Amino acid sequence: MVSRFLLLACLLLASPLWAKPYELTWRLKFDGSKDSALGSVTLGAGADQVRRIDFKLSPAYSDITGDGKIERKGMRVVWTPPRDGGSLSYRVKLSEKRKNGKYRSYYRGEWAIFRGDRVFPSARVRARRNASSRAKLILELPPAWHSDAPYLQAADGSFFINDAERRFDRPVGWLLVGEIGTRREIIADVEVALGAPKDQGMRRMDILAFLNFALPKMREALHRMPDKILIVSAPDPMCAAGSRPRARCTCISIAR
C-alpha cells in the first residue's frame, strides 16, 4: 500500500499539473533615438516548457531578430525559442497619434509617456500544460532619467509583472520615463505614485488630498485594492495637438 502511494505521488509530481513557472524578462532600452526604443523578451529558466510564442505586431514594430526560429506571417511573428532559452528583439516606435489629433503615446526626447500594451506585444503561447510565466520588466535609461510603472519595484530597479488572469505576463498600463518628478505615498496600504515631466505643474498635493479621503472608503467598500496605483500627467500635445497652450491630460494606471 505504501509503495503504491509513493508511486502515485511521483506520478503527480512529474505531471504537467506541477509545471514550474518559466522566467520571462521584458526589456526596453532608450538608445538615443528620438522616436523609438529597443525592446526585447527573454526566456530564462524553465524555457523548455515553451514550444513557441505567436506575437501580434503592429506597423510600429520593426527590426525583429532573435535566437531560434522566427517566422513572419502578416502582422504576426511566430517565435520558436531554443530549448535552453533565448531572446527576441525588436525596435518599436513610441509616439502614436490618433486620427482626432490626440496622442495615444508621446516621446518628446527628454521624456516619454506610453502604454505598455502598445510597446510589449500580446501573444498566443504554446507551452506545456499549466505552465505559466514569472515575469519582470527592466527599463534601460540614459543617465539622469527616471521611470515609473504601475507595478511594485524590486531592489535592483526591475518591476514585478504578475497578472493573475493570464499565464503569459506582459507589462500593460501607462509608463513614464525620462526627466520626470515622482511623489510616492502609502494610502490605505496602497502604494500611490504621482509622476509627470519636470516643471509641468502637476497638482500632486490636490490629488493626494483626494486620494487620502477616497482610497480608505474604497477599501471599506471593495475589500480588495491593487498593490500600486500610478497617476501620470503630461502636457499638450499629449492631450490634443493644437489645443489650449496649457492643456493637460492625467491618466490612472492600475496593474491587474
Side-chain angles (χ1 to χ4, degrees), residues 5-253:
F5 175 79
L6 291 175
L7 177 60
L8 178 60
C10 291
L11 290 173
L12 287 173
L13 289 172
S15 71
L17 182 64
W18 297 87
K20 293 182 179 179
Y22 54 90
E23 293 184 359
L24 191 66
T25 301
W26 294 94
R27 191 180 302 265
L28 193 66
K29 180 179 180 180
F30 292 81
D31 62 347
S33 169
K34 298 302 182 183
D35 66 348
S36 64
L38 293 172
S40 69
V41 56
T42 301
L43 282 169
D48 59 322
Q49 298 184 79
V50 179
R51 302 293 181 261
R52 69 180 185 184
I53 305 177
D54 182 352
F55 292 101
K56 181 180 180 181
L57 302 182
S58 72
Y61 295 87
S62 62
D63 301 339
I64 300 163
T65 61
D67 306 310
K69 183 179 179 182
I70 299 174
E71 300 174 86
R72 293 296 300 262
K73 298 181 178 180
M75 292 185 64
R76 306 202 71 91
V77 169
V78 180
W79 180 38
T80 304
R83 296 280 290 174
D84 59 350
S87 297
L88 180 78
S89 301
Y90 55 86
R91 182 171 289 277
V92 59
K93 185 176 180 180
L94 294 183
S95 291
E96 184 180 1
K97 199 172 185 179
R98 301 175 186 268
K99 293 181 179 179
N100 62 5
K102 296 182 179 180
Y103 279 83
R104 181 176 280 113
S105 57
Y106 189 61
Y107 185 14
R108 187 171 176 173
E110 63 270 16
W111 58 266
I113 179 172
F114 54 93
R115 288 187 58 86
D117 50 298
R118 311 297 295 190
V119 174
F120 306 103
S122 62
R124 298 192 295 249
V125 182
R126 183 177 178 183
R128 186 178 178 184
R129 184 182 177 186
N130 294 321
S132 61
S133 66
R134 182 169 55 202
K136 65 180 179 179
L137 167 64
I138 297 175
L139 298 172
E140 295 187 16
L141 308 174
W145 275 32
H146 300 281
S147 64
D148 214 335
Y151 301 99
L152 297 179
Q153 197 165 14
D156 63 359
S158 63
F159 295 92
F160 298 107
I161 311 298
N162 184 17
D163 186 346
E165 298 181 5
R166 293 189 175 97
R167 292 179 181 172
F168 182 76
D169 295 320
R170 68 180 177 118
V172 296
W174 290 101
L175 292 93
L176 179 66
V177 303
E179 298 175 3
I180 62 174
T182 304
R183 179 170 183 138
R184 304 177 193 279
E185 298 280 351
I186 302 296
I187 304 175
D189 296 324
V190 177
E191 179 181 327
V192 177
L194 309 177
K198 285 186 176 180
D199 303 321
Q200 294 298 325
M202 184 181 190
R203 304 185 65 169
R204 293 177 176 84
M205 298 308 297
D206 292 343
I207 297 174
L208 284 174
F210 171 75
L211 293 177
N212 271 292
F213 170 78
L215 288 187
K217 300 295 184 182
M218 293 175 64
R219 181 172 285 281
E220 289 179 11
L222 302 176
H223 305 293
R224 181 182 177 185
M225 294 289 287
D227 294 326
K228 181 177 178 179
I229 296 176
L230 171 65
I231 300 177
V232 297
S233 178
D236 183 62
M238 180 66 194
C239 295
S243 63
R244 300 187 311 275
R246 298 184 62 84
R248 309 186 55 78
C249 65
T250 300
C251 308
I252 299 176
S253 193

